């Protein structure tokens, strides 16, 4: 509860700051402090110190897994703010409002990690997405940004409609909004109400939309590409992973149907393969690193979907690992990307000569995304693949996953190739030494988590 | 203490190798020579220990390979055989190192240090080979000397021919090594151990087939390393390396490894008549074959190289007929006079500024007295004229060969005659008569410096007196070496021939050798062979065209096959497939991209269709999975 209330509260504080504090550059400091407070509050909550005793009436259920994920999300946001805070300021006059919306999004994230009621799920998703519509269009004078916001809003509304329809049908099938519900014994199809199945399918489609899984991913490249890079960075990482956490909960509780005749594995395997296919194959031909990263986020989503497929302990651990590896690496890549004046592959030519630290850290982030050993990304992929192998079925999905991971190396390493093996004079915005230091720390975290994954997992238990 | 012996050269190798850019030549020389000298001192102490009756010292250093019940330890064994070899390796090795400080002085600092680090590594590997108490450690050293010979033969790596020679040596050796390795595997699979003591104690557990198989495979290794037919062609080409390296390869290290290995395994070989006969036949065949080639070579080092091949043939003959002591004895005396011959040849080459063709030499007697006299001593020794060292060792082998089969003896004596002939041809062409080189060379002719002459003199003394270590009973000698080695060479075949017969045999062989030497001297002292040979001589000068034969029968077909794989299979097959996959993915990327057309309407329509399709897939999942299960 701490995190939900603190994030909402600090969001309101940020709103007031916009007219109480005149100095533009102090907003990001206030935001950073707010995130630290939020992180502390969440850690307190993790160890049982709850500042607000509110009876949510089974609407929310807190788990250690959820708390750990909250911490990861908040810490990632903190890193995001520290690395790209200056670039957010360059976006326009409404910096304080920008941070306000970030805090509201975090509020939605915290709700999604704790929901126990389909209405709470809906609420969390909406709190998460509505600020994003605004953030996408935050570069008001840029037509592309406006177009992206409008597209996102239109399709998002459609998916919201689907979700509500699904929840309504499930209510009709089970008579309750609670996630863990006893099933009514009427109109049964292999032990499940027919209405519930249709509802779940609609819910599945809309959740797939949120995490940009194919074939509901069409908005992703357009929106990620059109939105300001700083927003894309946030959207593609923390928001997307939060969607997965919510999705995982939905799956483990509602879709792990015990009846032998129905399971969702076939549907999920179709979605996984389509997502990997669209994400990886389309990424290959992109000329812009930003758009490539948009497709890469789809392909990474394909790997995270593995967890929803297998729904075992490997899956939940792996998803946690994946969220750390994916968020940090992508935030780092975007932090450098927003400094680039030219975000095509050519723009990166010769970066290793002019900015060796940036190039080296960028290379580590890309290694992690590609799943090269010794980085967190490798272990994350390993856990994902292992989780399916543990289920003992659908081994071909694993084979396909490995093949697509190999394809992904191609477009990730194109960036490394441009940085290290091509000649050019990359044009960049100015940045300080602390920025470089931040990137180095980020790269170090990725390698440390990759080398000592237990440091992360132990947190789930102790 | 045994571990100190290889440790010093290893340290020397590391020091000279790592600091090759910063050390001065003097320091490099001191480190290189000092390391080997220190090993020599330790070797002498060990030798005296063993001689005084010290117990068989097997010294475990550390566990090397331990897998379940299968154990191979890093163990050293100092006994009569290995201690003798230690003396030869480090003693002669030291003289060659000393000699090299002068011979290689024209090299730049870092290359000079590189040379000495390789040389030390060479000695280290050989010591490891000799000291190991099991076949695996021996194999490590075995490979080490192969590597070092490669490095040193190709020392002047800017010359393509030299690199080819280095490759040839390495590849030929690897062919032999494969056999050796298989032999070790066979041994390990049957006995579960490779320790000499355990193996020889348990030979009774092996079937005759096993023993024959193992010994023949091991002998393939020896063929490669000790340059026997058919794997001998690398040794003459190995002349590409600096001359002291040739001396090291031919005298102290490398080629004697095969002899050492067979002698070490005498308990195995003596149990397999097939293997013994094969060793003897290959040995005598090589001895004769190489001797014929040596007669018509004009490169001073080539003659010596073929003479080594030929002498190694004698040693294998000795091993084959059970005269293990004789062979080891011949290794020793051969080490003395062959080192002397090579170093003497090096001295000549050095004085003539890298001239190796004998036809451009002659009359060096008066310009280089020390080199001349020492060289003459070596020639007499190798020709087997009493009381020089070669006589004693060669005769011991020949006597044993006679006892086994008189045919071996007859062939051996013919070979001995040829040996005397080509050695004195070499001597006469080089040192007698008139100088035939350029005026420029003549102007610079001089005796070599002390670092070169001192090793020559020491080696000359040894080449002269080396035979007295094992004077046969017939001359009232005590056969010290024989008694010394008898605890190790248990399978020594004591031949029983009457003293009168033995004297007669000796007389014949010495007579033949003397005759051949005198013919050669009179023939070539005044009128050296300057023209290109014809007829049989041409065949001999071209080494029986064996290299060409190998090229056509083995090398070229292999290259053609490789070219086929490279140009056809890889280019159109594998590359085509790999690039095709990449191309296909690029193509599908271009197509798939078009789905993303930017129109919200299309997107939503696609989403609705997707939901419908997913719904159908869910509804008919039993049918779909059943269908796939039928296919796969």
């Amino acid at each position: 509860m701490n995190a939900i209330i603190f994030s909402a509260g600090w969001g309101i504080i940020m709103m007031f700051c916009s007219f109480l504090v005149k100095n533009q550059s102090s907003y990001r400091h206030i935001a950073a402090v707010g995130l630290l407070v939020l992180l502390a509050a969440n850690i307190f909550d993790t160890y049982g110190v709850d500042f607000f005793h509110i009876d949510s009436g089974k609407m929310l259920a807190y788990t250690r897994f959820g708390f750990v994920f909250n911490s990861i999300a908040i810490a990632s946001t903190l890193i995001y703010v520290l690395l790209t805070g200056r670039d957010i300021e360059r976006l326009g006059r409404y910096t304080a409002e920008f941070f306000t919306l970030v805090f509201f999004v975090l509020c939605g994230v915290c709700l999604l990690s704790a929901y126990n009621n389909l209405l709470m799920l809906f609420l969390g998703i909406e709190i998460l997405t509505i600020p994003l519509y605004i953030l996408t269009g935050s570069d008001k004078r840029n037509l592309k940004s406006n177009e992206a916001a409008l597209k996102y809003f239109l399709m998002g509304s459609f998916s919201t409609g689907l979700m509500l329809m699904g929840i309504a049908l499930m209510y009709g099938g089970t008579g309750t909004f609670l996630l863990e519900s006893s099933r009514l014994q009427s109109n049964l199809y292999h032990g499940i109400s027919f209405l519930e199945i249709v509802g779940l399918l609609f819910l599945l489609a809309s959740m797939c939309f949120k995490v940009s899984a194919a074939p509901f991913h069409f908005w992703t490249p357009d929106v990620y590409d059109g939105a300001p890079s700083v927003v894309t960075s946030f959207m593609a990482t923390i928001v997307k992973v939060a969607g997965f956490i919510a999705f995982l909960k939905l799956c483990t509780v509602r879709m792990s149907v015990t009846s032998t005749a129905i399971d969702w594995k076939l549907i999920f395997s179709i979605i996984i393969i389509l997502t990997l296919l669209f994400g990886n194959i389309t990424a290959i031909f992109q000329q812009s690193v930003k758009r490539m990263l948009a497709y890469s986020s789809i392909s990474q989503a394909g790997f995270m979907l593995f967890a929803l497929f297998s729904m075992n302990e490997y899956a939940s651990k792996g998803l946690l690992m994946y969220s750390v590896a994916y968020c940090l690496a992508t935030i780092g890549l975007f932090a450098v990307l927003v400094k680039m004046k030219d975000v095509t592959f050519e723009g990166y030519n010769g970066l290793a000569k002019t900015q060796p630290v940036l190039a080296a850290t960028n290379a580590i982030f890309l290694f992690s995304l590609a799943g090269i050993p010794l980085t967190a990304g490798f272990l994350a992929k390993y856990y994902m693949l292992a989780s399916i192998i543990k289920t003992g079925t659908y081994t071909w999905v694993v084979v396909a996953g490995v093949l697509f991971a190999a394809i992904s190396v191609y477009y990730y390493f194109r960036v490394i190739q441009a940085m290290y093996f091509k000649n050019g004079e990359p044009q960049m915005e100015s940045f300080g030494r602390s920025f470089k230091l931040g990137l180095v720390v980020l790269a170090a975290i990725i390698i440390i988590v990759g080398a000592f994954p237990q440091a992360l997992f132990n947190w789930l238990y102790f | 203490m045994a571990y100190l012996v290889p440790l010093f050269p290893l340290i020397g190798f590391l020091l000279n190798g790592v600091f090759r850019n910063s050390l001065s030549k003097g320091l490099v020389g001191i480190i290189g020579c000092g390391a080997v000298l220190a090993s020599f001192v330790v070797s002498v102490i060990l030798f005296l220990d063993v001689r005084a009756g010290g117990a068989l010292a097997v010294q475990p250093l550390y566990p090397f390979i331990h897998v379940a019940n299968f154990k191979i330890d890093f163990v050293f064994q100092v006994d009569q055989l290995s201690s003798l070899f230690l003396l030869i390796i480090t003693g002669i090795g030291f003289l060659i190192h000393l000699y090299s400080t002068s011979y290689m002085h024209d090299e730049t600092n870092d290359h000079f240090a590189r040379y000495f680090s390789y040389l030390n590594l060479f000695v280290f590997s050989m010591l490891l080979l000799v000291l190991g108490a099991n076949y695996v450690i021996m194999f490590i050293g075995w490979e080490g000397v192969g590597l070092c010979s490669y490095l040193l033969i190709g020392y002047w790596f800017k010359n393509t021919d030299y690199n080819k020679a280095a490759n040839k040596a390495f590849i030929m050796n690897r062919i032999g090594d494969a056999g050796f390795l298989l032999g070790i595997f066979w041994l390990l699979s049957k006995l579960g151990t490779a320790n000499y003591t355990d193996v020889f104690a348990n030979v009774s557990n092996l079937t005759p087939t096993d023993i024959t198989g193992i010994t023949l495979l091991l002998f393939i290794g020896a063929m490669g390393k000790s340059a026997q037919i058919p794997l001998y062609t690398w040794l003459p080409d190995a002349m590409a390396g600096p001359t002291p390296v040739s001396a090291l390869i031919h005298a102290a290290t490398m080629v004697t490894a095969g002899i050492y290995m067979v002698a070490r395994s005498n308990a195995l070989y003596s149990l397999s008549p097939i293997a013994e006969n094969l060793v003897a036949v290959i040995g005598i065949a090589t001895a004769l074959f190489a001797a014929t080639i040596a007669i018509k070579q004009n490169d001073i080092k080539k003659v010596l190289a073929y003479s080594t091949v030929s002498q190694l043939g004698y040693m294998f003959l000795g091993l084959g007929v059970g005269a293990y002591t004789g062979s080891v004895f011949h290794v020793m005396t051969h080490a003395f006079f062959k080192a002397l011959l090579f170093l003497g040849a090096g001295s000549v080459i050095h004085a003539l500024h890298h001239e190796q063709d004998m036809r451009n030499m002659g009359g060096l007697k008066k310009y280089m007295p020390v080199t001349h006299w020492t060289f003459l001593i070596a020639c007499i020794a190798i020709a087997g004229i009493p009381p020089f060292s070669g006589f004693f060792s060669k005769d011991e082998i020949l006597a044993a060969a006679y006892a086994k089969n008189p045919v071996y003896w007859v062939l051996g004596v013919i070979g001995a005659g040829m040996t005397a002939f080509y050695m004195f041809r070499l001597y006469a062409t080089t040192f007698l008569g008139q100088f035939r080189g350029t005026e420029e060379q003549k102007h610079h002719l001089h005796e070599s410096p002390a670092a070169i002459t001192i090793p020559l003199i020491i080696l000359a003394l040894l080449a002269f007196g080396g035979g007295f270590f094992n004077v046969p009973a017939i001359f009232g000698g005590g056969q010290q070496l024989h008694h010394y080695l008898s605890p190790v060479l248990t399978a020594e075949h004591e031949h029983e021939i009457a003293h009168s017969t033995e004297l007669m045999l000796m007389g014949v062989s010495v007579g033949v050798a003397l005759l051949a030497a005198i013919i050669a001297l009179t023939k070539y002292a005044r009128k050296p062979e300057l023209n290109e040979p014809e007829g049989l001589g041409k065949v001999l000068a071209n080494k029986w065209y064996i290299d060409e034969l190998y090229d056509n029968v083995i090398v070229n077909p292999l290259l053609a096959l490789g070219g086929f794989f490279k140009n056809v299979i890889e280019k159109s097959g594998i590359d085509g497939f790999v690039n095709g996959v990449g191309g296909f993915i690029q193509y599908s990327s271009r197509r798939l991209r078009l789905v993303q057309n930017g129109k919200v309407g299309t997107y939503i329509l696609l989403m609705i269709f997707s939901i419908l399709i997913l719904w159908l897939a869910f509804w008919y999942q039993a049918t779909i999975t059943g269908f796939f299960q039928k296919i796969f």
Side-chain angles (χ1 to χ4, degrees):
Chain A
M1 206 74 204
N2 282 354
I4 296 173
I5 288 174
F6 267 90
S7 55
W10 206 275
I12 292 164
I13 292 173
M14 290 302 299
M15 254 167 149
F16 279 99
C17 285
S18 70
F19 59 89
L20 292 180
V21 180
K22 284 290 160 235
N23 187 357
Q24 279 267 332
S25 63
S26 53
Y27 295 141
R28 65 189 158 97
H29 298 300
I30 298 170
V33 171
L35 286 166
L36 275 175
V37 171
L38 197 52
L39 189 61
N42 187 61
I43 290 172
F44 270 115
D45 217 352
T46 315
Y47 294 103
V49 185
D50 192 354
F51 299 140
F52 310 92
H53 293 284
I54 297 172
D55 179 17
S56 62
K58 282 193 186 172
M59 291 269 225
L60 297 173
Y62 301 101
T63 57
R64 178 55 80 88
F65 183 76
F67 284 132
V68 172
F69 173 71
N70 283 352
S71 296
I72 291 171
I74 296 165
S76 304
T77 314
L78 181 62
I79 292 171
Y80 161 71
V81 168
L82 290 177
L83 277 178
T84 45
R86 279 169 188 277
D87 305 290
I88 294 172
E89 279 163 20
R90 280 195 280 113
L91 213 56
R93 289 194 291 122
Y94 304 101
T95 316
E97 283 81 354
F98 188 101
F99 287 120
T100 306
L101 294 172
V102 168
F103 275 101
F104 287 161
V105 169
L106 277 183
C107 181
V109 169
C110 295
L111 210 52
L112 283 179
S113 70
Y115 77 94
N116 193 33
N117 183 307
L118 293 174
L119 284 181
M120 280 294 131
L121 169 68
F122 175 69
L123 211 57
I125 292 283
E126 286 306 293
I127 294 178
L128 189 81
T129 15
I130 290 171
L132 284 179
Y133 298 149
I134 305 166
L135 285 175
T136 309
S138 59
D139 195 358
K140 288 201 291 186
R141 278 169 211 83
N142 188 337
L143 267 182
K144 272 189 85 179
S145 175
N146 284 323
E147 183 200 339
L150 196 60
K151 269 186 185 169
Y152 191 21
F153 177 65
L154 284 174
M155 284 188 271
S157 309
F158 177 72
S159 102
T160 304
L162 273 181
M163 172 175 274
L164 271 181
M165 186 68 194
I167 291 175
L169 287 172
M170 283 173 72
Y171 184 79
T174 59
T176 173
F177 284 125
L178 279 181
L179 204 51
E180 296 174 52
S181 65
S182 56
R183 299 196 160 90
L184 298 176
Q185 297 296 312
S186 66
N187 240 345
L188 289 188
Y189 172 76
H190 292 290
I192 304 182
S193 147
F194 192 77
L195 285 177
E196 193 188 347
I197 293 174
V198 180
L200 274 174
L201 198 71
F202 278 6
L203 210 51
L204 176 88
S206 75
M207 286 309 289
C208 281
F209 177 87
K210 293 297 169 208
V211 299
S212 64
F216 307 99
H217 68 284
F218 298 108
W219 62 277
T220 317
D222 292 3
V223 173
Y224 282 12
D225 197 28
S229 299
V230 281
V231 179
T232 313
S233 172
F234 187 61
M235 246 194 319
T237 55
I238 293 138
V239 175
K240 170 173 281 191
V241 171
F244 266 106
I245 296 293
F247 205 171
L248 182 68
K249 191 160 190 175
L250 183 70
C251 288
T252 44
V253 179
R254 220 52 205 275
M255 294 189 178
S256 57
V257 176
T258 43
S259 161
T260 47
I262 347 168
D263 58 22
W264 297 84
K265 286 202 160 43
L266 181 71
I267 300 287
F268 270 117
S269 61
I270 292 173
I271 291 172
I272 287 173
I273 298 300
L274 281 179
T275 309
L276 288 173
L277 184 81
F278 273 104
N280 287 301
I281 301 290
T282 322
I284 283 179
F285 208 68
Q286 302 307 320
Q287 301 307 320
S288 145
V289 176
K290 191 177 173 188
R291 208 168 164 84
M292 181 278 277
L293 284 174
Y295 282 105
S296 126
S297 87
I298 298 175
S299 99
Q300 300 287 346
F303 279 103
M304 286 189 257
L305 282 169
F306 279 35
L308 311 180
F309 177 91
S310 44
M311 296 185 284
N312 47 24
E313 201 200 345
Y314 270 80
S316 51
K317 274 186 175 181
L319 192 59
L320 216 53
M321 186 65 152
Y322 218 110
S323 46
V324 174
Y326 170 68
C327 284
L328 297 187
T330 310
I331 287 172
L333 281 172
F334 268 104
V336 177
L337 184 107
V338 292
K339 302 281 185 201
M340 308 293 294
K341 291 219 166 107
D342 179 7
V343 294
T344 61
F345 281 94
E346 281 78 31
Y348 278 75
N349 283 356
L351 189 69
K353 292 214 181 64
T354 52
Q355 295 293 347
V357 178
L358 261 59
T361 49
N362 241 7
I364 291 174
F365 301 145
L366 290 163
F367 282 147
S368 183
L369 284 184
I372 306 292
L374 257 188
T375 59
F378 165 72
L379 270 183
K381 276 206 172 63
Y382 165 77
Y383 271 96
M384 286 302 167
L385 297 174
S387 76
I388 291 199
I389 290 182
K390 284 277 165 188
T391 63
T393 51
Y394 287 90
T395 321
W396 58 273
V397 178
V398 179
V399 176
V402 172
L403 288 179
F404 281 118
I407 291 175
S408 78
V409 171
Y410 173 79
Y411 54 81
Y412 289 134
F413 279 29
R414 257 180 86 190
V415 182
I416 296 180
Q417 184 201 25
M419 292 191 300
Y420 280 90
F421 304 114
K422 290 194 173 163
N423 294 318
E425 284 293 323
Q427 301 295 313
M428 302 195 73
E429 305 280 348
S430 62
F431 53 85
R433 186 172 288 172
S434 55
F435 177 72
K436 282 187 192 171
L437 186 73
L439 285 178
V440 171
V441 170
L442 200 54
I445 294 174
I446 286 176
I447 289 174
I448 289 168
V449 173
F452 307 104
Q454 290 307 326
L456 182 68
F457 295 142
N458 281 345
W459 206 10
L460 283 175
Y461 308 107
F462 304 109
Chain B
M1 188 153 105
Y3 65 89
L4 282 176
V5 183
L7 187 65
F8 287 122
L10 183 64
I11 293 172
F13 156 67
L14 290 175
L15 284 179
N16 278 338
V18 173
F19 302 109
R20 65 183 178 284
N21 290 321
S22 47
L23 291 177
S24 71
K25 278 185 195 174
L27 217 49
V28 167
I30 289 169
I31 293 171
C33 300
V36 183
L37 183 63
S39 303
F40 179 64
V41 171
V42 180
S43 303
V44 170
I45 297 170
L46 288 175
F47 178 78
L48 293 177
D49 253 15
V50 176
R51 200 179 143 82
L56 174 78
V58 176
Q59 302 179 343
L61 291 185
Y62 65 91
F64 182 49
I65 301 173
H66 275 195
V67 182
N69 292 326
F70 179 76
K71 285 191 181 106
I72 294 170
D73 291 325
F74 211 94
V75 195
F76 282 168
Q77 174 169 345
V78 180
D79 58 9
Q80 288 79 1
L81 189 61
S82 54
S83 64
L84 185 71
F85 268 83
L86 288 188
L87 282 184
I88 299 173
I89 296 161
T90 53
I92 296 185
F94 168 68
L95 293 177
I96 293 168
H97 274 68
L98 186 63
Y99 178 95
S100 297
T101 55
S102 168
Y103 190 84
M104 299 302 287
H105 212 264
D106 296 339
E107 298 293 322
T108 57
N109 264 8
D110 54 333
H111 287 295
F112 189 74
R114 182 167 67 91
Y115 174 82
F116 271 94
S117 66
Y118 287 167
L119 224 53
N120 274 351
L121 186 65
F122 208 150
V123 172
F124 163 77
S125 308
M126 192 64 194
L127 291 172
L128 204 60
L129 190 157
V130 167
L131 272 174
N134 59 46
Y135 285 101
V136 177
I137 307 299
M138 182 196 260
F139 185 72
I140 297 173
W142 192 270
E143 289 296 291
V145 292
L147 169 71
C148 294
S149 66
Y150 166 79
L151 292 173
L152 282 166
I153 294 167
Y155 172 75
W156 285 306
F157 52 75
K158 284 182 185 154
N159 185 323
T160 315
D161 287 344
Y162 292 0
N163 285 333
K164 279 186 181 158
N167 279 336
K168 191 173 179 181
F170 197 67
I171 293 165
M172 281 277 181
N173 267 294
R174 292 295 305 175
I175 295 171
D177 294 347
F180 189 33
L181 205 51
L182 289 176
I184 297 176
F185 289 157
W186 195 331
L187 202 60
L188 284 172
S189 72
K190 290 291 169 190
L191 292 181
T193 175
N195 288 342
Y196 302 140
T197 43
D198 300 335
V199 170
F200 302 147
N202 294 316
V203 255
S204 51
N205 296 344
L206 294 171
T207 64
T209 329
D210 287 339
I211 294 181
T212 306
I214 290 166
T215 47
L216 288 182
L217 283 171
L218 292 181
F219 183 55
I220 291 177
M223 280 176 183
K225 197 106 316 188
S226 296
Q228 295 299 293
I229 292 174
L231 298 178
Y232 71 95
T233 54
W234 67 270
L235 190 59
D237 284 20
M239 296 298 100
T243 313
V245 173
S246 310
L248 198 63
I249 291 178
H250 290 248
T253 60
M254 188 90 180
V255 296
T256 56
I259 317 285
Y260 170 78
M261 192 267 290
V262 177
R264 176 58 86 186
S265 321
N266 63 78
L268 286 176
Y269 277 87
S270 58
L271 291 177
S272 169
I274 301 174
E276 274 200 312
N277 285 332
L278 187 79
V279 172
V281 169
I282 294 272
I284 189 68
T286 310
L288 283 173
F289 190 74
T292 58
I293 298 175
I295 289 176
K296 283 290 172 188
Q297 296 303 310
N298 286 321
D299 184 320
I300 184 165
K301 285 170 79 179
K302 278 263 157 85
V303 179
L304 295 178
Y306 280 104
S307 102
T308 303
V309 177
S310 168
Q311 295 299 314
L312 288 166
Y314 277 110
M315 296 176 209
F316 277 105
L317 173 66
L319 295 172
V321 300
Y324 293 102
T325 313
S327 290
V328 174
F329 187 30
H330 200 54
V331 166
M332 188 173 93
T333 57
H334 177 256
F336 297 151
F337 56 67
K338 191 46 65 66
L340 178 52
L341 285 169
F342 265 110
L343 296 186
S347 174
V348 169
I349 294 166
H350 194 56
L352 293 175
H353 297 282
H354 298 282
E355 175 61 67
Q356 294 187 195
D357 196 327
M358 297 193 299
R359 286 171 293 191
N360 299 330
M361 297 176 181
L364 296 178
K365 184 177 168 185
K366 64 179 172 211
Y367 302 104
M368 309 180 72
V370 179
T371 307
H372 163 250
W373 283 113
T374 52
F375 203 89
L376 181 61
I377 290 171
C379 284
I380 300 172
I382 194 175
I385 293 164
F388 288 64
S389 59
F391 162 74
F392 293 100
S393 53
K394 195 187 283 181
D395 245 72
E396 194 169 331
I397 293 174
L398 287 178
Y402 180 83
K404 183 93 172 182
N405 188 343
V407 178
Y408 289 153
W409 179 83
V410 172
L411 294 174
V413 169
I414 295 173
M418 287 198 276
T419 307
F421 183 80
Y422 64 70
M423 281 320 298
F424 278 94
R425 170 176 173 267
L426 171 69
Y427 168 74
T429 322
T430 309
F431 289 98
L432 304 182
Q434 292 301 312
F435 184 66
R436 296 180 295 275
T438 59
E439 280 303 310
E440 170 76 10
Q441 283 174 330
K442 191 169 183 176
H443 186 66
H444 286 109
L445 269 183
H446 58 87
E447 181 57 271
S448 299
I452 288 182
T453 51
I454 289 171
L456 290 181
I457 294 167
I458 297 173
L459 284 169
L461 289 174
L462 287 168
F464 170 71
F468 298 113
F469 291 124
N470 193 28
V471 179
I474 191 168
F475 297 127
Q479 292 186 287
Q480 291 93 332
L481 193 68
H482 188 90
H483 294 305
Y484 177 71
L485 287 174
S486 58
V488 194
L489 304 177
T490 48
E492 177 82 21
H493 192 71
E494 301 289 346
H495 56 82
E496 300 287 335
I497 32 179
H499 279 190
S500 55
T501 323
E502 202 176 341
L503 272 178
M504 193 266 293
L505 296 178
M506 280 181 188
V508 172
S509 73
V510 170
V512 168
L514 271 175
L515 195 65
I518 290 164
I519 294 173
L521 277 175
T522 48
K523 187 169 176 205
Y524 294 111
R526 271 165 291 147
K527 195 170 75 63
E529 194 174 36
L530 296 177
N531 303 327
E532 285 301 321
E534 283 173 4
L536 180 64
K538 193 176 173 195
V539 175
L540 294 180
N542 285 302
K543 312 152 201 168
W544 294 97
Y545 296 103
I546 293 293
D547 278 332
E548 286 77 3
L549 180 76
Y550 283 1
D551 277 351
N552 286 327
V553 175
I554 298 167
V555 179
N556 289 341
L558 274 179
L559 286 178
L561 189 68
F564 173 73
F565 277 121
K566 175 171 167 269
N567 294 326
V568 180
I569 303 276
E570 195 194 326
K571 277 233 174 76
S572 49
I574 296 173
D575 277 2
F577 174 71
V578 171
N579 293 336
V581 169
F584 170 73
I585 290 175
Q586 291 246 345
Y587 172 79
S588 43
S589 177
R590 251 171 290 167
R591 297 279 121 198
L592 213 55
R593 192 171 63 101
L594 299 179
V595 178
Q596 201 73 37
N597 67 359
K599 293 199 177 81
V600 178
T602 321
Y603 294 168
I604 292 183
L605 192 66
L606 280 172
M607 277 158 70
I608 290 170
F609 276 125
S610 305
I611 294 175
L612 285 176
I613 291 166
L614 283 182
W615 172 240
L616 288 174
F618 185 82
W619 200 243
Y620 293 107
Q621 60 173 297
T623 325
I624 295 169
T625 44
F627 178 70
F628 277 110
Q629 267 158 8
K630 257 179 216 155
I631 293 177
F632 301 110

